[in-house]
């Protein structure tokens, strides 16, 4: 069977949830004066899709995610959210970074509540915000630790507070930059399964940046492989065919798994 498809394989019936349209981005460079990090890059993401961006270190994945989040402006081209240009951060676009930057003087629950209050808290009553915070902390299995402060939580628990906080904001699109980075293999494994479950329960659009090909194959509907920069672009748009709901055993024992994994690793190393 064909395991890959190009970006244009399936026609879009409505405006995509999120689109990059011929975006480019560069930064001042010490020797060259200016360095274009992203060459002209275009892709679109459908509503409800889980898309992962992988690529060599320094290729521009975080830069691309910041453009999608409206945290940085492209030098040319545009980002569109449901057909509307993205020119600034928006409540409709949630972001999870590798460093969750929890407020150290607040408990896990207060950190989630603080974010809910900051993001249009007046839309919800205090008791509703409480209920949401408790709900999401329970889903990441932190109910027992909700009253502990970040300094009293392990690294993995802090990551889970960050994930609960991002999900609690209920944005249409959730953009995640290495949300499980810097964790030991076992904790990462467990959190990948939690993220899989949460993303399959939630009708939302997800964009994940990761270095981990197995994580990408477990979680994604589609994987965009960025080429080695400078002037990185989407080298390949790979469809991940595994049926949902997924579990790791079923995915990893699928006949396509090894071929896809090999293809992605090959693209990451030879796509420079
Ligand atoms: N604000 C900035 N000013 C100057 N250069 C920048 C800036 N942000 C990113 N860059 C450069 O852009 C390139 C891409 O960086 P980016 O962080 O997007 O890469 P990445 O693919 O996320 O890498 P990693 O996998 O290591 O996280 C790098 O060469 C980096 O030095
Ligand atoms: Mg990065």
């Amino acid at each position: 069977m064909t395991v890959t498809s190009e970006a244009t394989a399936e026609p879009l019936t409505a405006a995509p949830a999120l689109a990059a349209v011929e975006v480019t981005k560069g930064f001042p460079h010490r020797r060259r004066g200016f360095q274009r990090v992203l060459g002209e890059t275009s892709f679109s993401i459908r509503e409800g899709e889980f898309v992962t961006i992988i690529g060599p270190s320094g290729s521009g994945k975080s830069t691309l995610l910041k453009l999608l989040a409206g945290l940085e402006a492209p030098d040319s081209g545009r980002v569109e959210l449901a057909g509307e240009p993205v020119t600034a951060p928006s409540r409709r676009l949630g972001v999870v970074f590798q460093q969750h930057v929890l407020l150290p003087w607040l408990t896990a629950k207060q950190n989630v509540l603080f974010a809910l209050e900051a993001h249009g808290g007046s839309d919800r009553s205090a008791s509703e915000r409480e209920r949401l915070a408790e709900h999401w902390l329970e889903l990441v299995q932190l109910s027992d630790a909700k009253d502990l402060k970040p300094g009293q939580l392990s690294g993995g628990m802090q990551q889970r507070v960050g994930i609960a906080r991002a999900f609690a904001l209920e944005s249409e699109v959730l953009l995640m930059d290495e949300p499980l980075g810097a964790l030991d293999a076992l904790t990462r494994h467990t959190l990948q399964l939690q993220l899989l479950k949460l993303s399959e329960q939630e009708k939302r659009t997800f964009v994940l940046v990761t270095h981990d090909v197995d994580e990408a194959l477990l979680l994604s509907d589609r994987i965009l492989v960025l080429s080695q920069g400078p002037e990185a672009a989407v080298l390949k748009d790979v469809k991940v065919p595994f049926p949902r709901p997924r579990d790791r055993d079923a995915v990893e024992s699928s006949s396509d798994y090894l071929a896809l994994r090999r293809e992605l690793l090959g693209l990451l190393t030879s796509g420079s």
Side-chain angles (χ1 to χ4, degrees):
M1 74 175 273
T2 310
V3 289
T4 63
S5 72
E6 298 307 319
T8 49
E10 288 168 49
L12 295 163
T13 46
L18 196 61
V21 185
E22 296 170 358
V23 295
T24 68
K25 182 71 180 173
F27 296 104
H29 190 273
R30 198 161 40 88
R31 274 176 289 114
R32 288 180 213 123
F34 184 82
Q35 176 73 67
R36 201 183 239 201
V37 171
L38 290 173
E40 210 170 85
T41 304
S42 298
F43 56 84
S44 48
I45 298 173
R46 282 181 289 277
E47 198 182 323
E49 222 181 354
F50 194 124
V51 171
T52 295
I53 299 167
I54 62 173
S57 182
S59 54
K61 302 180 296 297
S62 296
T63 303
L64 184 55
L65 207 78
K66 284 180 201 155
L67 296 180
L68 294 176
L71 291 163
E72 299 246 18
D75 296 335
S76 62
R78 63 190 185 281
V79 171
E80 291 179 356
L81 174 64
E84 300 291 322
V86 173
T87 52
S90 151
R91 277 171 57 190
R92 299 168 68 191
L93 293 161
V95 191
V96 186
F97 290 111
Q98 182 168 349
Q99 305 299 337
H100 290 297
V101 223
L102 300 177
L103 298 171
W105 60 89
L106 297 182
T107 65
K109 184 173 157 191
Q110 286 166 341
N111 264 284
V112 179
L113 281 171
F114 180 81
L116 282 168
E117 281 155 21
H119 287 73
S122 51
D123 296 357
R124 297 180 185 282
S125 66
S127 62
E128 217 178 325
R129 293 198 297 269
E130 287 259 333
R131 190 194 55 75
L132 258 182
E134 301 244 351
H135 170 71
W136 283 104
L137 286 166
E138 187 186 333
L139 285 184
V140 295
Q141 291 165 20
L142 278 182
S143 293
D144 291 345
K146 65 178 194 266
D147 297 321
L148 298 180
K149 294 187 176 158
Q152 300 167 304
L153 299 172
S154 71
M157 291 161 103
Q158 292 184 41
Q159 300 257 19
R160 280 186 273 162
V161 179
I163 290 168
R165 181 175 63 181
F167 273 82
L169 297 178
E170 298 183 316
S171 57
E172 288 159 52
V173 180
L174 193 50
L175 303 153
M176 301 178 276
D177 191 354
E178 305 258 7
L180 310 182
L183 289 175
D184 67 277
L186 187 61
T187 310
R188 185 164 184 142
H189 229 241
T190 312
L191 287 191
Q192 282 169 351
L193 293 179
Q194 285 186 0
L195 206 50
L196 175 66
K197 210 163 128 203
L198 293 180
S199 62
E200 287 186 340
Q201 284 166 354
E202 289 286 300
K203 277 242 77 75
R204 261 188 247 193
T205 307
F206 295 92
V207 185
L208 170 75
V209 167
T210 183
H211 277 104
D212 185 331
V213 165
D214 296 302
E215 184 171 298
L217 285 169
L218 178 71
L219 294 170
S220 327
D221 298 310
R222 204 146 56 89
I223 301 173
L224 304 178
V225 186
L226 277 197
S227 59
Q228 174 85 58
E231 308 226 9
V234 177
L235 190 63
K236 191 119 194 189
D237 183 336
V238 178
K239 195 166 167 43
V240 183
F242 312 126
R244 295 185 185 273
R246 290 180 183 168
D247 67 65
R248 196 190 297 275
D249 282 349
V251 165
E252 291 185 358
S253 59
S254 153
S255 57
D256 296 330
Y257 188 78
L258 285 179
L260 273 169
R261 189 173 192 275
R262 203 173 303 127
E263 179 184 5
L264 292 168
L265 288 171
L267 287 166
L268 282 179
T269 47
S270 71
S272 29

